[in-house]
Amino acid sequence: RLRCDWSSDVCSSDLAPAEIQKVIIDEQNKRLEAILSEENLSKAIGRRGQNVRLASKLINYEIDILTEKEESEKRQLEFKVKTEIFVKNLEVDETLGQLLVAEGFSTIEEISKASSEDIVKIEGIDANTAKELKERAKEYLIKEKENIKKKLKDLGVDDNLINHKGLTPGMLLTLREKKIKTLKDFAELSTDELIGSYDEKKGVKYKIDGYLEEFALTKAEADDLIINARNIVFK
């Protein structure tokens, strides 16, 4: 039996009799990784995957089952990808890129927001290097924002929607895929359409995915986004 505690919630899923080695929880994306040895893999998955499906429904999280080897290979790949992003976009050497990843930095935005004092705490990085890293990170993010804005405009997304406070470039691209291209289109959406909901048919409860569900918006945040859009469009 797998039990994991985070915040004030407790998740419990029947993956017995498999012996779980480690659990990694991604609350923002509602995903959970269960790491176990090769011999426990079939036990955890169950016949035709029924154990995993049941556990996923019980805790309302997507569950990925990985062997220890697969988890190790995944972490190595993630480390390599993050390092390459820093090397390419911040124009640093591979050693410095690896050092940043090893110290817990996953994105350029995190470097931009970090204080120089925190970066200097990393062995091998002095004050000048920390300052330069932050400046390069900020320059990259500004350029990236401009590139995404241009891409959105080329895709036909209206400026008013692009500039709507609270919508990130990722959200805007997702909305564009759903044919939401103007602020009026967005204002006419419901909160449930943004964050998802549940419905029931013939006694069976089923999930309806939200357009922006992957971005883990709270109901209050979704309400504010829509209300603010309506105040502008229908004033």
Side-chain angles (χ1 to χ4, degrees):
R1 183 176 295 271
L2 165 66
R3 293 190 180 277
C4 347
D5 296 307
W6 71 92
S7 302
S8 59
D9 299 319
V10 177
C11 79
S12 175
S13 71
D14 291 327
L15 294 179
E19 188 174 325
I20 308 299
Q21 307 297 322
K22 182 168 59 174
V23 174
I24 300 172
I25 298 170
D26 180 352
E27 294 185 57
Q28 182 175 351
N29 297 309
K30 295 184 75 65
R31 297 188 70 90
L32 180 152
E33 289 182 358
I35 317 302
L36 64 168
S37 60
E38 188 75 40
E39 57 267 24
N40 279 298
L41 182 61
S42 60
K43 296 178 184 178
I45 295 174
R47 187 179 181 186
R48 297 179 181 174
Q50 61 185 3
N51 288 356
V52 175
R53 288 198 299 272
L54 174 59
S56 181
K57 289 180 180 179
L58 286 173
I59 65 174
N60 193 28
Y61 267 59
E62 290 292 325
I63 297 178
D64 295 324
I65 302 293
L66 301 174
T67 64
E68 292 167 308
K69 180 181 178 182
E70 288 172 336
E71 194 254 349
S72 176
E73 291 173 347
K74 180 178 180 180
R75 300 300 163 227
Q76 289 176 28
L77 178 59
E78 288 175 349
F79 190 94
K80 182 175 182 290
V81 169
K82 290 174 184 177
T83 298
E84 289 175 348
I85 288 173
F86 291 153
V87 170
K88 177 182 177 181
N89 298 305
L90 297 181
E91 297 181 3
V92 300
D93 61 31
E94 187 174 4
T95 300
L96 181 51
Q98 291 175 342
L99 185 58
L100 289 168
V101 177
E103 290 295 326
F105 287 102
S106 297
T107 66
I108 293 176
E109 185 176 10
E110 289 175 357
I111 294 175
S112 173
K113 290 181 177 180
S115 67
S116 295
E117 290 76 14
D118 286 339
I119 298 176
V120 168
K121 290 178 183 177
I122 301 174
E123 187 176 352
I125 296 182
D126 58 24
N128 289 333
T129 302
K131 180 181 178 182
E132 182 67 21
L133 279 171
K134 283 179 59 63
E135 288 176 354
R136 291 186 187 186
K138 289 177 180 178
E139 289 173 2
Y140 169 81
L141 291 173
I142 291 171
K143 184 178 178 180
E144 185 70 4
K145 185 176 181 180
E146 291 173 351
N147 289 339
I148 292 175
K149 186 173 182 179
K150 182 180 183 302
K151 180 179 180 180
L152 287 166
K153 291 187 72 172
D154 291 343
L155 289 171
V157 180
D158 184 71
D159 277 342
N160 290 329
L161 184 59
I162 292 174
N163 297 322
H164 189 54
K165 187 176 179 180
L167 291 178
T168 66
M171 292 178 185
L172 290 164
L173 287 171
T174 300
L175 289 169
R176 170 62 181 79
E177 292 173 359
K178 304 297 183 182
K179 310 301 183 185
I180 308 299
K181 298 190 289 185
T182 69
L183 192 61
K184 185 174 184 295
D185 292 336
F186 184 78
E188 292 175 343
L189 296 175
S190 68
T191 298
D192 284 349
E193 285 179 295
L194 283 189
I195 64 175
S197 62
Y198 286 89
D199 204 348
E200 191 171 311
K201 188 174 183 180
K202 295 182 179 179
V204 178
K205 192 175 183 181
Y206 62 95
K207 180 78 170 56
I208 301 175
D209 293 334
Y211 292 162
L212 300 182
E213 189 169 341
E214 65 180 292
F215 298 95
L217 287 171
T218 65
K219 185 178 185 304
E221 289 170 337
D223 285 341
D224 286 343
L225 283 171
I226 292 173
I227 290 171
N228 291 338
R230 290 175 180 173
N231 288 338
I232 295 171
V233 173
F234 303 119
K235 63 180 179 180

